[in-house]
Amino acid sequence: MNLTKDKKLWMYQKMCEIRNFELEVDRLFKANLIWGTCHLSVGEEASAVGSIAALEKDDMITSTHRGHGHCIAKGGKLPQMFAELLGKETGYCRGRGGSMHIADLTMGNLGANGIVGGGIPIATGAALASKLRNDGKVTLCFFGDGATNQGAFHEAVNFGAVKKLPVVYLCENNLYGMSVPFEKASAAKDVADRAAAYNIPGVIVDGNDVEAVYEVTKAAVERARQGQGPSIIEAKTYRWLGHSKSDPRVYRTREEEEAWKQKCPIKRYRQKLISEGVATEEELDQIEKSVEKAIQEALEYAKNSPEPKVEEIMEGVYA
């Protein structure tokens, strides 16, 4: 791998931003400042950051209902993200979309959505457009293990493989589709095994190892960019919190949760950076402090932003 110190510190910073953002959102929801629901990605930071770090700036992504981390890693602006979740006019979608519908087309983020597997056909379509335009862009498609049993998964991946489209399908397998263990929903042990049906590569990676995720994604992205078609990457990871804010997590043990917390991707990477002499404890402490400051400043921006005007409620609504 050709990872510079700046790139490694960028990955550490982004993982810290995602963790701090999600924990702040959790607090805001409990304080009744965020309505509806939220799907938080605490514990899954490495899969988002490591994969997006392998993209070029003009490449695109599609996200999921658990998409805050994807947006932040792709260059999403923290103030606008908080504003969107708080339903403010300055949010990415003017407060209309909320947690599951953040998009930033200027950064190549084609958006999250609340439909399980909904981003897979969108990513495939974006890749088809890139191939027809010959613009050299690759689309990275995020989805969870639960999406692999949706018809859209098969239809889109098969089409992408047949047309050799510049798309990488990345499954963040956090072991549960809502409350259902993956092993009870799939006859195949691993999502990556399904790649054989489409005659494309399927790779399993430790989703809590940010550099490992970067390495396999980089290879898949370059393969796609060279016209060799898509790949499936299965990042094995774990969400520390519930599927959504209404999930009491009665389907798994606290011992299992604690075991995965010991594999924290941020603590793990911090130890690696220090042990390899890439960064000092002081450098990483400074990054964490700057992230905490940025989070609080972004939150203040959102809280002080105006509410949407009632007379503009129909703007952006079409029939």
Side-chain angles (χ1 to χ4, degrees):
M1 291 186 298
N2 186 25
L3 282 170
T4 64
K5 176 178 178 176
D6 285 347
K7 188 83 165 182
K8 291 180 178 183
L9 293 184
W10 176 88
M11 292 198 295
Y12 185 74
Q13 176 184 328
K14 287 299 169 183
M15 286 198 292
C16 289
E17 285 181 7
I18 295 169
R19 175 68 61 85
N20 279 262
F21 182 88
E22 296 288 60
L23 292 177
E24 191 62 55
V25 169
D26 188 42
R27 286 189 284 269
L28 291 169
F29 187 90
K30 290 174 180 175
N32 293 319
L33 294 174
I34 293 177
W35 297 273
T37 191
C38 290
H39 304 79
L40 305 180
S41 61
V42 177
E44 299 185 19
E45 297 86 359
S47 59
V49 174
S51 56
I52 289 175
L55 299 178
E56 298 296 332
K57 184 177 180 180
D58 290 339
D59 290 334
M60 298 174 286
I61 68 166
T62 60
S63 186
T64 71
H65 54 275
R66 200 178 312 283
H68 303 159
H70 308 146
C71 186
I72 291 172
K74 195 63 172 72
K77 299 177 179 62
L78 297 173
Q80 283 86 336
M81 290 184 68
F82 272 126
E84 184 60 34
L85 268 65
L86 292 177
K88 298 302 185 74
E89 182 69 25
T90 56
Y92 266 115
C93 301
R94 298 178 64 193
R96 273 73 163 173
S99 174
M100 290 187 286
H101 300 94
I102 293 177
D104 185 352
L105 302 185
T106 65
M107 298 301 297
N109 180 358
L110 303 184
N113 64 76
I115 301 172
V116 175
I120 307 175
I122 296 172
T124 304
L128 175 61
S130 287
K131 183 171 184 177
L132 293 173
R133 293 170 174 165
N134 194 28
D135 60 16
K137 296 179 182 179
V138 172
T139 301
L140 176 63
C141 172
F142 290 100
F143 54 95
D145 48 284
T148 62
N149 288 332
Q150 299 292 320
F153 170 82
H154 164 72
E155 294 169 10
V157 176
N158 185 63
F159 184 83
V162 169
K163 298 296 184 181
K164 292 190 180 301
L165 299 183
V167 57
V168 175
Y169 300 106
L170 194 149
C171 175
E172 294 176 298
N173 185 350
N174 59 27
L175 310 187
Y176 295 91
M178 294 188 70
S179 62
V180 181
F182 181 70
E183 62 189 17
K184 291 187 177 181
S186 173
K189 177 183 176 183
D190 301 305
V191 171
D193 290 344
R194 301 190 183 196
Y198 312 108
N199 196 30
I200 61 176
V203 182
I204 298 173
V205 66
D206 180 351
N208 283 13
D209 184 336
V210 68
E211 289 191 9
V213 174
Y214 170 85
E215 185 175 5
V216 298
T217 308
K218 188 72 172 176
V221 167
E222 290 311 309
R223 182 179 185 275
R225 208 182 305 278
Q226 292 166 10
Q228 298 177 44
S231 305
I232 292 177
I233 297 172
E234 180 182 4
K236 303 270 192 178
T237 185
Y238 197 83
R239 53 170 168 78
W240 291 10
L241 305 178
H243 166 74
S244 65
K245 296 307 298 173
S246 60
D247 177 8
R249 314 188 318 280
V250 296
Y251 48 86
R252 64 189 195 189
T253 66
R254 297 302 171 260
E255 289 77 15
E256 177 185 289
E257 293 180 348
E258 186 58 34
W260 274 93
K261 287 180 181 179
Q262 296 305 312
K263 305 175 186 178
C264 173
I266 299 176
K267 288 183 179 179
R268 183 175 175 180
Y269 199 46
R270 179 187 173 92
Q271 293 168 355
K272 179 181 175 68
L273 293 174
I274 293 172
S275 65
E276 293 182 353
V278 175
T280 64
E281 289 194 28
E282 291 73 20
E283 285 178 293
L284 299 181
D285 288 345
Q286 185 56 46
I287 288 175
E288 292 175 16
K289 289 178 182 177
S290 67
V291 166
E292 291 171 4
K293 183 174 184 289
I295 290 290
Q296 292 308 311
E297 290 177 347
L299 182 55
E300 284 304 308
Y301 169 88
K303 286 181 176 179
N304 294 325
S305 292
E307 302 281 347
K309 297 178 180 178
V310 175
E311 56 268 30
E312 296 176 356
I313 193 171
M314 297 304 292
E315 288 188 9
V317 178
Y318 299 90

